[in-house]
Amino acid sequence: MMTTPDTRNDLSKKYALSAPHSEIVEAASRIAPGKALDLGCGNGRNSLWLNQRGFELTAWDKNPQSIATLNHIIEQESLSHISTEIKDLDSLRFNGQYQLVFSTVVMMFLQPDTIPQMIADMQASTVKNGYNLIVAAMDTADYPCTLPFPFTFKSGELSHYYRKWHIVKYNEEVGQLFKTDENGNRIQLRFATLLAQKAPTKN
Ligand SMILES: C[S@@+](CC[C@H](N)C(=O)[O-])C[C@H]1O[C@@H](n2cnc3c(N)ncnc32)[C@H](O)[C@@H]1O
C-alpha cells in the first residue's frame, strides 16, 4: 500500500524555522517519547519537532525574542505539553526528571565556569536509562576556533564528563558554521557530538 508522508505537523516549513538538528532526529529514533529539556532552545526548532512526536518539552533560552517566537507558534497551533521560559544558563541551577536533556550548538556561548555545573545538572536531571545529547563547538590544533566564543571543548573533554555513562555516540567531526570568513567561505570547526545514556553499567 502506498503511504503519503505526513507533513501536517511540519511546523518548520510553516513558520520558516530551520529543520531540526540532525542529531535530534537521529536520537529520537531510539528514545521513547517522554519528558525532555531543551537548554538554549532558540526559536524552538528542536522542541517543536520533538513535541510533535509525543515528547513533553520544557524549553529555555535567554533571548526574549526567541522565546516570544516560540510562544507565538505554540499559541497559534494550540500546542500542549510544551512550556517555555526565559532563562540564563550562565546563572542557573536546575533539576528535574527528564528522559532527554539536550543542548545543541549552545555551550560555546556560555561562560567556561558554567559548563561543569551545567553538565552535572543535566546528568542529575536525567532519569535512569534516560539520555543527554550535546553538540558544541571545539577548539583543536587542526581546526582552531577563530571566533570569540567564551567556551570551546578540547579533544576528549566532553566524552570525559560522560565516562560513567553508556556513550551511544561520540565524535569530534568537522562541521560548518553559517558564519563565513573573509573569503566568503563558511567557517569550519570541529564539533563535539555526544549522545549518552544514564545506564547503571559503570561505577
Ligand atoms: C545557535 S543557537 C542554537 C539554538 C537551538 N539550540 C538550535 O539548535 O536551534 C544558540 C542559542 O543559545 C542561546 N543562548 C546563548 N547564551 C545563552 C545563555 N546564557 N542562556 C540561555 N541561552 C543562551 C541563544 O539565545 C541562542 O538561542
Side-chain angles (χ1 to χ4, degrees), residues 9-101:
N9 292 332
D10 195 351
L11 300 179
S12 313
K13 280 184 194 153
K14 184 169 175 184
Y15 291 97
L17 301 174
S18 308
H21 197 290
S22 56
E23 297 298 337
I24 288 284
V25 176
E26 190 179 318
S29 68
R30 63 181 301 137
I31 304 173
K35 287 178 68 175
L37 176 61
D38 184 352
L39 298 166
C41 60
N43 290 350
R45 60 172 179 153
N46 298 321
S47 279
L48 289 165
W49 191 86
L50 287 169
N51 175 252
Q52 296 295 284
R53 279 146 190 87
F55 285 81
E56 180 183 339
L57 264 300
T58 300
W60 296 336
D61 200 284
K62 81 163 183 186
N63 185 334
Q65 192 53 54
S66 298
I67 294 294
T69 301
L70 178 50
N71 285 342
H72 172 73
I73 298 171
I74 291 169
E75 204 181 299
Q76 287 294 308
E77 301 293 325
S78 303
L79 300 178
S80 56
H81 305 298
I82 176 166
S83 68
T84 68
E85 218 168 321
I86 299 168
K87 292 219 192 224
D88 183 352
L89 295 168
D90 274 323
S91 52
L92 187 71
R93 292 292 315 268
F94 57 90
N95 54 43
Q97 293 275 299
Y98 296 96
Q99 174 71 9
L100 169 65
V101 183

Side-chain angles (χ1 to χ4, degrees), residues 81-154:
H81 305 298
I82 176 166
S83 68
T84 68
E85 218 168 321
I86 299 168
K87 292 219 192 224
D88 183 352
L89 295 168
D90 274 323
S91 52
L92 187 71
R93 292 292 315 268
F94 57 90
N95 54 43
Q97 293 275 299
Y98 296 96
Q99 174 71 9
L100 169 65
V101 183
F102 63 97
S103 185
T104 56
V105 215
V106 173
M107 289 188 178
M108 64 251 224
F109 300 106
L110 304 181
Q111 294 305 311
D113 286 355
T114 298
I115 303 302
Q117 190 61 60
M118 178 173 161
I119 292 178
D121 286 350
M122 290 175 74
Q123 294 180 343
S125 303
T126 307
V127 296
K128 186 176 157 190
N129 294 322
Y131 293 82
N132 283 184
L133 171 66
I134 295 170
V135 180
M138 302 184 70
D139 179 32
T140 60
D142 57 349
Y143 284 89
C145 179
T146 54
L147 292 165
F149 292 140
F151 174 77
T152 44
F153 280 109
K154 299 291 182 198

